[in-house]
Amino acid sequence: MNICLYGASSPALDCVYFDAAEEFGRLLAQHGHTLVYGGGAQGVMGAAARGAADAGGKIIGIAPSFLNVDGILFDRCTEFILTDTMAERKAAMIAHADAFVMAPGGFGTFEEFFEVLTLKQLGRHNPAIAILNTNGFYDKMQEFVLSAVEQNFIRSACLNIYALCPTPAEAISYLEHYNPAALDVRHLKNI
């Protein structure tokens, strides 16, 4: 399975986030999966790629060509796809993935993740989507989502279109055991 990971590119984070991302990458490779990601050498993204590479896994890096400068992109990717724009990068990541994981990150991570989540809500695809909730990073986001459900901005059934996973092992397990036939996404959109 090709698993797309979205995550921070910043190197200035607590080690707990890098350690979890590296473990995720290692487990992904050990389970025979391919990492699809934004191609970065630093941050949570780079840690996941290092974990996958060290475990002998296949890695598909996808990045816009303007980021192809010394030290930005991970040089141990099995395959690298350069795009012209960030929008093309995002589309290529979606096209190359069978499942998605949002690791801790910032605006770019959120934007990528919520597009994939929205496409699932709209019934445009039905992949497994996991949130790697390292150190409770996404607890406040989940509280916000629950508040939006309570106020009828989001249907409660939409809480089933992703899984909040506290550990890399739980995220991998969720992705591997996800049954798309068990979730009918056709009725989730509010229009």
Side-chain angles (χ1 to χ4, degrees):
M1 174 169 33
N2 286 1
I3 299 173
C4 180
L5 177 123
Y6 301 125
S9 61
S10 173
L13 305 173
D14 190 296
C15 290
V16 68
Y17 299 110
F18 301 136
D19 293 345
E22 192 167 334
E23 181 184 352
F24 179 82
R26 184 174 51 255
L27 287 172
L28 177 146
Q30 289 171 348
H31 286 239
H33 304 301
T34 297
L35 174 66
V36 176
Y37 86 117
Q42 302 297 318
V44 169
M45 283 197 296
R50 280 190 303 282
D54 290 348
K58 182 177 177 189
I59 304 167
I60 301 172
I62 304 173
S65 55
F66 66 79
L67 290 179
N68 193 12
V69 295
D70 288 343
I72 299 292
L73 301 179
F74 188 63
D75 61 5
R76 293 168 60 196
C77 290
T78 313
E79 178 183 348
F80 216 102
I81 299 168
L82 291 173
T83 64
D84 290 329
T85 67
M86 291 292 280
E88 290 174 3
R89 171 206 211 183
K90 207 169 37 161
M93 290 170 76
I94 292 171
H96 283 81
D98 303 309
F100 298 86
V101 174
M102 178 173 65
F107 288 139
T109 301
F110 304 156
E111 190 264 340
E112 292 166 328
F113 171 77
F114 281 110
E115 179 171 340
V116 168
L117 193 68
T118 301
L119 288 171
K120 186 170 181 176
Q121 179 190 13
L122 294 173
R124 305 309 300 164
H125 65 181
N126 191 6
I129 300 176
I131 297 173
L132 181 55
N133 193 28
T134 303
N135 203 31
F137 184 80
Y138 286 112
D139 287 352
K140 297 273 190 214
M141 184 194 78
Q142 183 70 359
E143 287 176 25
F144 174 78
V145 170
L146 292 172
S147 174
V149 167
E150 189 175 285
Q151 297 178 64
N152 297 316
F153 286 95
I154 300 171
R155 291 186 180 186
S156 60
C158 290
L159 295 172
N160 298 318
I161 65 176
Y162 65 92
L164 203 63
C165 303
T167 68
E170 288 172 270
I172 293 288
S173 178
Y174 173 75
L175 298 175
E176 289 180 335
H177 293 97
Y178 177 75
N179 178 6
L183 178 64
D184 182 2
V185 296
R186 294 172 295 172
H187 67 284
L188 298 177
K189 58 187 171 192
N190 270 337
I191 48 176

